Amino acid sequence: MEKMLREIRERVMQNIEEAKGSQNLEQIRVAILGKKGELTGLLRGMGKLPPEERPKMGQMVNEVRAAIEEKMEARLAELLEREKAARLQAEAIDVTLPGPERGAGSLHPMNIALEKMINIFVGMGYEAVEGPEVEFDHYNFELLNIPKNHPARDAQDTFYVDDNIVLRTHTSPVQARIMTTRKPPIRVICPGRVYRADEADATHSPVFHQMEGLVIDENITMGDLKGTLDEFARQMFGEGIKTRFRPSFFPFTEPSAEVDLTCANCKGKGVLPLAKLSPAEPGMATSQIKDLGRATSGCRMCKGTGWIEVLGAGMVNPKVLEMCGIDSTKYSGFAFGMGVERMALLKYNIPNLRYLYENDLRFLTQYR
Amino acid sequence: MKVPMKWLKEYVDIDVSAEAYASKMVMTGTAVEGVDKTGAQFDKVVVGKVVSCVDHPNSDHLHICMVDVGEAEPIQIVCGAPNVHAGMRVAAALDGAHLPGGKIKKGKMRGEVSMGMLCSGPELDVPAGLYPHIGDEGIIEIFEDVAPGTDVKAVFGLGDDIIDFEILANRPDCLSVWGLARESSAVLEKHFVMPEIAVEEKGQGAFDDYAKVEVLDDVTCPRYCARVITNVKIGPSPKWMREYLYGAGVRPINNIVDITNFVMLETGHPMHAFDLSKVKDQTIVVRRAKPGEKLTTLDGKEHVLDESMLVIADKENATGLAGIMGGEESEIVDDTASVLFECAAFERANNRVTARKLGIRTESSGRFEKGVCPDTAMEALNRACMLVNMLECGDVVPGAYDNYPHPMEHREIEASVKRVCRRIGVDVPGEVMEDILNRLYIDTTLVGDDTLHCVIPAFRQDMETEADVSEEVLRMYGYDHIPSTLMNAVTMPGYRNEKLVFNDRVKDALVGMGLFEVLNYSFISPKWIEKLNLADDDPRRSAVVLRNPLGEDTSVMRTSLVPSMLNTVAANLNRGNADGKLFELSKTFTPAEKDGELPAEHNALCVAAFGEGVDFYTVKNIVTWLLAKFGVTAAIAAEGDAYYHPGRKARMRVDGQCIAALGEIHPDVAEAFDISGRRVYVAEIDLDALRPLEKDFYGVKPLPKFPAVSRDIAVVVDEAVGAGAMMDAIARAAAKTLEDVKLFDIYRGDKLGAGRKSVAYAITLRAPDRTLTDEEINATMEKVLKALNQQFGAELRA
């Protein structure tokens, strides 16, 4: 009996050691410790032994059983760990494979730029408002100090619906609408579509977008206009981008300024270190050769000047304030108008305005 | 306006380079388009002397010339011009020269070496009239005794810097050399030196002996001045004058015409020269046209006039449009012997309206509509007479006609130094302001320490208020002095208005669903609307029409976003972009109901999907999800416009109001938009209708505590029955305990019979307060079946 037990123990220990997996181990367990197992059978057969031998035998069988269980438990843990490692290894995938096609689309780059512009001014306490695109001549021109038959109208080739209704040539009529209906302090931006009778080319489009800004309050100065636009330039194009004001003329502002921004391409230096020199080709128009001369000596984006003209601005003409019913002795203000497409072209390095209205998916999908 | 530097320098000492000068002008408010040189279109062209000229042995028209170009030996040049001959001085382009037509390289012509090219006027792109013989046949002959090798630019008076100024509408006074010289003198702090105007009157008799002028409308013609020149000898004007005119972009013609152009450019006053012998009765009448009066202008065009138009006439007929264009009869010709010079001022708005109505735009009309100062008209006229003296091309008759009944008054402005400083944000001392304004010829005195008393000169009609004074001060003081400050004002909340916020959310949702935003023009061709096959009385057929469109394709404001969207799809397919999901959020326009009102503008959205894996349900899902984002569910029904596929179109309604239309584009319509054989799915969403339906807060249901049960049912119905409609019926029938109903199978087969289908749904039921019993569940399912049977004739599938 003792010998038998020893044999069982040795054989089972050996089997456990050699078990090929957790399932195999379970089979071994059932064969020895299960209801019909070998060891269970031995215990059951103990009733046939003389009573004085029973305790000793019982103890021996239990010792063997405990040893086997202990061994089995250790082996099971080992096998499970090994099996898990094997499974994880088998589950390895090629992480370099591309995932399924990206789901998101995108806003049009013009609107991406516009959203950014609106955010900047909303952050500075401006309210974004809209106005009609088909507009009365009265708001588009007359209230802005551009009377009928005034040569200043030539600067804006206008689409007419009838003698008194036009497609707005700028977002400035929204200014006039706001000034005639609200009391200062006023701080608004007016984004939207505008129309000019220009044929489409690389820099013109008969339909484009502007964003107008208007501030009316007490003691507003031209310095405040500059500070505001400096802050806009910094947020829109990055640190180091500044504004330069040049005197200009708009009937609705006095003084007026054309505003340039530091060229982001050459950082205002006007020259690029690796500018390629390409000589004038015979047959080039004079203007082309002139352009070439500029481009070869420096940055093509700003034509070597270090500055890019981006917007018009000025102090609201007191005549305009009075026409709109605002006391010009008490209040002053500034206004600015910027082309959104121009901003998008500069911001996203788009070489040709036409891209924006062709809606070619090969272009649009670059903005998602 | 193009101005040669040399011309400016006659009146103001510009001691910096053209570029530096241009930059100073720009930074003080006179815009410059560019700095150029005359003759920049060619180089390496020198005076050559033809030493010998023999016929080319292998050609019937070429000549072999030996040309002295100032080098040690003459060079051989093959030339085909008929007028080339030995002893002639020519313009020789050397090897490597750049000409407007290309680069000159040495080579062989029919076996003979040619080291360059002898040039004609067109080959150098210099006009006839710049140099006396440029316009003649063949190559240019230089008659002056100029050393071979001299750059021909010197001979033609080329090589001067030309500043191309862009004069803005407020400064018509700068549309002249004198005006710019005066402005430059203020900018550069130099003196402006006008020539002394003195006319030598050598002619016989007096003005009245030769001509009579009657001005019948001194409102539209506030001033009219005229003088007479006799013994006129028409000929070329001198080289300096031709050079200035060419530099300014004006073609030299003859001495009298050149003088009028020269004076216009120098003084800003358009002039007109009449051949006096051809003016009927030597009488000039300035009057309004008679209604329907006809006139043929210099360019040979006949115009029918109306009473608003000012004409120059003889006793009977109109002969010219005042300030716009002269008539044919009294044009200066080679044998003109006596001339009447006109220098007048015409009212700008009237001039502009007339020019627009007749569709004529001339240099002269452009100047009058911007504003010509009447005060200096006589001065300009005398300048012309002085040039007649100088050019010795006629005798000035003593006396002049001058009608100027209401001389201009000089405006006065009082400005406060403090207020100016506050406006510009820069502290400029009163004395500095006074000095700046005086430099600009605004006669200014500082009274006390705050009041500037300014007397505005006649040529500065743009100066009206203190704000104008502040601009003058600031631009001369320097815009670079403006500090960068942020306003010291009350804090205001920044935000977008509700509609902008709503539109942004719509766009964000669509972008998230994989759509790309497109931008199309707001105006389209009326033909595009035709292509939609709309009913005759469809409101979308009546659009806001532009009076002056760029072309028919952009002539009406769109009443629907669909046509431009279909064009966008077609363009993408043409470029090989086979798949796409697009949207445009923009406005549509409906004509006003009453005259004099603005058209209605609608906030519209159009979605399109095309290509692989896209079908009706793609756009239906886009619309449904978009509505869901705003808490809106809509009922769908198979109906819609004729431009959709008759079996694949739908409208979605909320409480009967249509908020979306969608479907596959009808193949005929697709073909009309050049989309053949491809399916395009479109949805139109009325955002104005959707926006007020938004539910801000959707409500929260407590999480379930009791288990749910699922039951599947399959019913057989006719093909025409909508599976979605049955789903709605199930939801209504099981409303009390329904949690969810999903369609999971549609089956068609022989067993069911033709025109029948089996539709299977998974129905989930749950009660919030108890576990549902089998009895309850069975009762509900029976109710569902009954409803389906009653409403759709559905039978439980065996």
Side-chain angles (χ1 to χ4, degrees):
Chain A
M1 189 70 185
E2 257 191 71
K3 193 181 161 204
M4 222 173 104
L5 268 176
R6 200 160 44 245
E7 266 176 35
I8 289 173
R9 180 184 172 134
E10 269 170 32
R11 173 165 49 82
V12 172
M13 285 303 200
Q14 178 76 22
N15 286 350
I16 290 171
E17 199 60 45
E18 287 168 4
K20 291 192 172 63
S22 53
Q23 277 180 8
N24 186 211
L25 192 69
E26 178 64 10
Q27 287 163 3
I28 296 166
R29 191 187 66 78
V30 171
I32 189 80
L33 301 175
K35 279 182 183 166
K36 293 173 183 168
E38 222 172 332
L39 215 54
T40 319
L42 276 181
L43 274 173
R44 230 179 252 142
M46 265 198 339
K48 293 168 189 166
L49 292 177
E52 64 278 14
E53 283 183 31
R54 282 182 204 167
K56 193 181 164 203
M57 264 314 280
Q59 193 189 347
M60 278 170 66
V61 171
N62 278 333
E63 270 173 27
V64 171
R65 182 194 179 101
I68 289 173
E69 277 179 344
E70 190 186 338
K71 173 81 178 173
M72 208 161 237
E73 201 174 316
R75 180 63 181 153
L76 180 65
E78 191 185 319
L79 284 173
L80 284 175
E81 193 56 41
R82 195 185 296 169
E83 281 165 15
K84 186 164 78 185
R87 191 175 72 240
L88 292 180
Q89 194 175 0
E91 282 171 2
I93 54 165
D94 180 356
V95 296
T96 65
L97 275 179
E101 204 194 327
R102 246 189 307 180
S106 81
L107 286 183
H108 190 281
M110 185 285 298
N111 266 325
I112 301 176
L114 179 58
E115 284 302 298
K116 195 171 167 72
M117 291 160 67
I118 294 176
N119 284 343
I120 293 170
F121 284 100
V122 165
M124 289 197 263
Y126 288 72
E127 179 190 349
V129 296
E130 289 187 305
E133 293 175 18
V134 186
E135 181 60 285
F136 288 115
D137 187 284
H138 182 66
Y139 288 107
N140 194 74
F141 290 122
E142 286 169 30
L143 279 182
L144 298 170
N145 196 28
I146 314 173
K148 283 213 159 79
N149 296 312
H150 193 275
R153 293 202 173 194
D154 288 351
Q156 302 179 1
D157 283 323
T158 310
F159 288 116
Y160 285 88
V161 172
D162 62 35
D163 283 345
N164 297 312
I165 297 178
V166 301
L167 302 195
R168 65 176 176 189
T169 55
H170 44 190
T171 39
S172 310
V174 190
Q175 264 192 40
R177 282 175 175 273
I178 294 286
M179 284 191 281
T180 49
T181 52
R182 294 191 190 182
K183 287 196 164 63
I186 292 171
R187 214 174 294 168
V188 294
I189 48 168
C190 327
R193 275 192 177 207
V194 299
Y195 305 85
R196 303 254 174 110
D198 287 324
E199 293 286 349
D201 64 24
T203 52
H204 295 87
S205 170
V207 177
F208 60 105
H209 295 74
Q210 278 191 341
M211 193 184 81
E212 192 83 4
L214 174 72
V215 170
I216 309 280
D217 208 335
E218 290 174 40
N219 300 318
I220 298 293
T221 76
M222 193 118 175
D224 298 335
L225 170 62
K226 185 165 168 67
T228 300
L229 293 176
D230 277 338
E231 180 58 20
F232 165 74
R234 188 185 68 79
Q235 289 195 40
M236 188 76 190
F237 293 101
E239 297 294 337
I241 304 294
K242 295 209 156 44
T243 63
R244 180 179 75 170
F245 279 38
R246 277 184 287 118
S248 188
F249 167 70
F250 305 109
F252 36 100
T253 51
E254 194 76 44
S256 303
E258 288 281 358
V259 181
D260 302 330
L261 294 186
T262 315
C263 174
N265 195 36
C266 64
K267 305 277 177 283
K269 292 193 184 79
V271 283
L272 286 172
L274 292 171
K276 256 192 182 168
L277 296 171
S278 46
E281 299 286 335
M284 263 188 173
T286 325
S287 61
Q288 279 175 303
I289 294 169
K290 199 170 71 184
D291 271 358
L292 247 174
R294 285 178 180 157
T296 50
S297 64
C299 173
R300 196 173 270 267
M301 196 180 248
C302 61
K303 297 197 168 116
T305 61
W307 296 99
I308 294 192
E309 186 180 321
V310 290
L311 62 95
M315 298 301 290
V316 179
N317 193 327
K319 280 167 93 178
V320 170
L321 291 179
E322 293 296 337
M323 278 191 279
C324 293
I326 292 175
D327 181 356
S328 69
T329 58
K330 184 170 180 197
Y331 294 104
S332 58
F334 62 72
F336 54 84
M338 41 183 104
V340 184
E341 277 81 355
R342 177 118 179 96
M343 292 291 170
L345 259 53
L346 292 172
K347 177 98 188 139
Y348 305 115
N349 259 316
I350 301 167
N352 191 324
L353 183 57
R354 281 204 185 97
Y355 280 20
L356 295 181
Y357 286 89
E358 282 178 348
N359 299 316
D360 190 322
L361 276 160
R362 292 169 299 177
F363 169 70
L364 297 175
T365 48
Q366 293 176 40
Y367 292 89
R368 67 177 165 192
Chain B
M1 169 165 179
K2 289 182 175 173
V3 182
M5 278 287 269
K6 261 196 204 168
W7 200 345
L8 278 173
K9 284 181 180 174
E10 297 221 7
Y11 306 117
V12 61
D13 174 22
I14 301 171
D15 53 2
V16 292
S17 74
E19 285 73 18
Y21 166 68
S23 156
K24 283 195 173 202
M25 293 300 280
V26 167
M27 291 314 288
T28 51
T30 312
V32 172
E33 299 248 305
V35 179
D36 218 336
K37 274 189 193 303
T38 48
Q41 70 270 30
F42 66 84
D43 64 6
K44 289 185 86 173
V45 181
V46 300
V47 175
K49 186 165 185 185
V50 180
V51 181
S52 67
C53 176
V54 297
D55 288 349
H56 192 298
N58 299 325
S59 163
D60 59 354
H61 69 282
L62 293 177
H63 309 277
I64 299 166
C65 308
M66 296 305 292
V67 184
D68 176 2
V69 291
E71 289 166 16
E73 294 290 325
I75 59 171
Q76 178 170 310
I77 294 176
V78 177
C79 176
N83 64 334
V84 66
H85 57 87
M88 180 184 189
R89 275 194 179 74
V90 292
L94 305 178
D95 180 34
H98 291 106
L99 300 192
K103 194 173 172 179
I104 299 301
K105 284 180 197 155
K106 63 183 174 187
K108 282 189 175 176
M109 286 181 81
R110 303 224 178 142
E112 288 294 332
V113 170
S114 185
M115 301 296 289
M117 184 173 97
L118 305 186
C119 305
S120 69
E123 279 162 344
L124 295 180
D125 191 20
V126 285
L130 177 64
Y131 189 74
H133 303 283
I134 286 178
D136 298 347
E137 289 291 301
I139 57 172
I140 300 166
E141 178 156 17
I142 294 165
F143 283 91
E144 289 151 288
D145 187 10
V146 191
T150 309
D151 191 331
V152 295
K153 285 182 192 175
V155 179
F156 298 157
L158 298 175
D160 190 14
D161 288 308
I162 306 296
I163 317 284
D164 189 359
F165 291 101
E166 185 199 349
I167 306 301
L168 300 174
N170 61 330
R171 293 298 302 273
D173 62 300
C174 284
L175 284 166
S176 66
V177 176
W178 285 355
L180 283 164
R182 191 164 49 210
E183 177 72 17
S184 305
S185 74
V187 171
L188 303 169
E189 301 190 47
K190 301 272 187 185
H191 290 291
F192 165 51
V193 192
M194 277 254 293
E196 193 193 331
I197 295 172
V199 181
E200 196 186 338
E201 299 171 327
K202 275 198 258 177
Q204 300 287 312
F207 180 87
D208 293 346
D209 301 337
Y210 294 90
K212 187 164 180 264
V213 179
E214 284 174 55
V215 176
L216 301 181
D217 186 336
D218 58 26
V219 176
T220 42
C221 177
R223 189 171 192 180
Y224 195 98
C225 306
R227 294 200 73 157
V228 170
I229 316 293
T230 54
N231 292 326
V232 170
K233 291 173 283 288
I234 299 292
S237 47
K239 184 176 156 187
W240 62 266
M241 190 179 272
R242 296 194 310 261
E243 186 185 329
Y244 283 180
L245 290 175
Y246 175 70
V250 174
R251 195 163 62 91
I253 295 168
N254 62 45
N255 43 18
I256 293 295
V257 175
D258 289 357
I259 284 172
T260 60
N261 283 330
F262 186 90
V263 169
M264 175 179 72
L265 294 168
E266 194 170 67
T267 68
H269 284 276
M271 286 187 61
H272 190 69
F274 296 85
D275 183 331
L276 195 52
S277 66
K278 298 199 193 111
V279 175
K280 212 179 277 173
D281 301 329
Q282 281 69 53
T283 301
I284 285 172
V285 183
V286 184
R287 61 164 170 85
R288 297 290 186 106
K290 295 163 197 155
E293 191 169 1
K294 285 179 184 162
L295 169 69
T296 305
T297 40
L298 265 177
D299 53 5
K301 283 185 188 141
E302 194 189 61
H303 303 277
V304 180
L305 312 178
D306 68 40
E307 296 167 280
S308 72
M309 300 171 177
L310 193 69
V311 295
I312 307 294
D314 57 29
K315 279 210 159 134
E316 283 144 29
N317 299 312
T319 56
L321 287 165
I324 299 174
M325 197 180 269
E328 270 177 320
E329 294 113 82
S330 57
E331 206 182 339
I332 302 297
V333 290
D334 286 349
D335 61 358
T336 295
S338 58
V339 165
L340 180 136
F341 275 142
E342 162 199 293
C343 188
F346 300 110
E347 200 265 319
R348 68 190 202 182
N350 178 273
N351 194 277
R352 182 182 160 95
V353 170
T354 302
R356 299 267 146 155
K357 274 189 197 161
L358 299 176
I360 312 175
R361 214 183 138 77
T362 59
E363 175 74 32
S364 166
S365 75
R367 286 168 177 273
F368 280 118
E369 66 181 53
K370 287 184 184 102
V372 168
C373 175
D375 250 24
T376 45
M378 199 66 210
E379 189 178 72
L381 180 57
N382 284 333
R383 174 65 174 157
C385 296
M386 191 180 147
L387 289 166
V388 170
N389 295 154
M390 203 184 288
L391 269 54
E392 296 176 340
C393 57
D395 297 332
V396 180
V397 170
Y401 173 83
D402 185 3
N403 188 56
Y404 190 26
H406 311 290
M408 295 176 74
E409 281 168 24
H410 288 218
R411 193 178 287 135
E412 293 182 18
I413 301 174
E414 299 255 301
S416 148
V417 172
K418 243 185 266 163
R419 282 198 305 263
V420 167
C421 288
R422 203 160 60 199
R423 186 167 192 82
I424 63 182
V426 188
D427 281 328
V428 182
E431 293 75 21
V432 175
M433 290 190 188
E434 185 187 19
D435 176 53
I436 283 174
L437 293 166
N438 280 314
R439 251 159 64 200
L440 287 163
Y441 303 88
I442 297 164
D443 192 359
T444 305
T445 328
L446 178 63
V447 184
D449 56 2
D450 192 54
T451 306
L452 291 160
H453 182 83
C454 312
V455 182
I456 309 302
F459 59 84
R460 288 302 304 272
Q461 286 303 303
D462 61 302
M463 297 279 299
E464 292 175 314
T465 62
E466 184 181 84
D468 298 307
V469 172
S470 70
E471 177 169 84
E472 294 306 295
V473 167
L474 183 59
R475 74 185 179 93
M476 300 308 281
Y477 192 71
Y479 270 38
D480 50 352
H481 285 100
I482 304 169
S484 186
T485 54
L486 283 176
M487 60 192 131
N488 194 352
V490 287
T491 303
M492 295 181 74
Y495 55 92
R496 289 165 164 82
N497 75 7
E498 279 178 25
K499 193 188 135 205
L500 285 169
V501 172
F502 174 79
N503 284 355
D504 280 354
R505 289 171 58 209
V506 168
K507 288 197 247 182
D508 285 349
L510 295 168
V511 166
M513 289 186 242
L515 278 71
F516 291 89
E517 187 187 18
V518 300
L519 291 182
N520 280 306
Y521 289 172
S522 310
F523 29 58
I524 60 173
S525 166
K527 284 183 184 150
W528 300 1
I529 297 177
E530 286 297 312
K531 290 180 188 178
L532 294 180
N533 291 331
L534 297 171
D536 287 342
D537 60 350
D538 192 295
R540 284 167 291 184
R541 279 186 181 275
S542 79
V544 176
V545 180
L546 298 188
R547 203 160 68 181
N548 58 332
L550 288 175
E552 205 210 351
D553 274 1
T554 50
S555 61
V556 301
M557 302 303 284
R558 51 188 175 168
T559 52
S560 161
L561 302 182
V562 172
S564 359
M565 183 56 93
L566 292 179
N567 279 327
T568 300
V569 170
N572 272 290
L573 287 169
N574 275 335
R575 289 168 179 213
N577 303 327
D579 308 298
K581 285 188 270 180
L582 308 173
F583 76 93
E584 182 175 17
L585 193 165
S586 194
K587 284 182 173 175
T588 56
F589 302 82
T590 316
E593 281 170 15
K594 276 192 225 154
D595 265 1
E597 285 180 0
L598 292 180
E601 302 187 6
H602 313 281
N603 199 22
L605 171 67
C606 183
V607 164
F610 60 98
E612 207 180 315
V614 159
D615 60 19
F616 175 86
Y617 302 101
T618 309
V619 286
K620 185 185 170 188
N621 272 352
I622 290 169
V623 177
T624 310
W625 294 343
L626 180 67
L627 300 191
K629 189 175 166 84
F630 296 98
V632 174
T633 45
I636 190 161
E639 54 171 312
D641 286 306
Y643 54 84
Y644 288 114
H645 188 304
R648 298 181 176 186
K649 63 182 174 184
R651 287 206 177 105
M652 291 171 84
R653 295 176 186 272
V654 175
D655 296 333
Q657 184 191 17
C658 179
I659 52 173
L662 61 157
E664 180 181 323
I665 292 297
H666 193 291
D668 294 348
V669 175
E671 197 177 318
F673 282 92
D674 288 328
I675 309 166
S676 293
R678 318 267 195 129
R679 295 179 190 273
V680 180
Y681 303 90
V682 166
E684 303 160 70
I685 294 104
D686 182 346
L687 296 179
D688 286 331
L690 175 61
R691 188 152 71 95
L693 299 176
E694 173 172 14
K695 292 193 189 74
D696 205 14
F697 179 66
Y698 315 128
V700 172
K701 281 186 219 156
L703 297 179
K705 288 185 187 134
F706 295 91
V709 284
S710 286
R711 290 288 162 92
D712 292 350
I713 88 168
V715 292
V716 178
V717 288
D718 282 345
E719 191 63 67
V721 172
M726 285 200 286
M727 210 142 92
D728 293 342
I730 294 170
R732 280 194 300 272
K736 267 189 194 164
T737 52
L738 185 86
E739 181 163 275
D740 189 29
V741 53
K742 279 198 173 72
L743 181 139
F744 71 88
D745 186 46
I746 296 180
Y747 170 80
R748 295 174 180 85
D750 295 341
K751 280 183 191 166
L752 298 176
R756 303 276 284 169
K757 65 185 173 187
S758 155
V759 188
Y761 299 93
I763 298 168
T764 310
L765 305 172
R766 192 201 299 265
D769 54 351
R770 65 191 189 279
T771 302
L772 290 171
T773 62
D774 280 349
E775 290 75 44
E776 280 179 297
I777 295 162
N778 292 339
T780 304
M781 292 307 291
E782 251 164 55
K783 218 169 141 192
V784 165
L785 264 176
K786 198 173 156 195
L788 292 180
N789 180 270
Q790 280 174 353
Q791 293 171 38
F792 306 100
E795 288 160 21
L796 196 61
R797 191 174 167 201

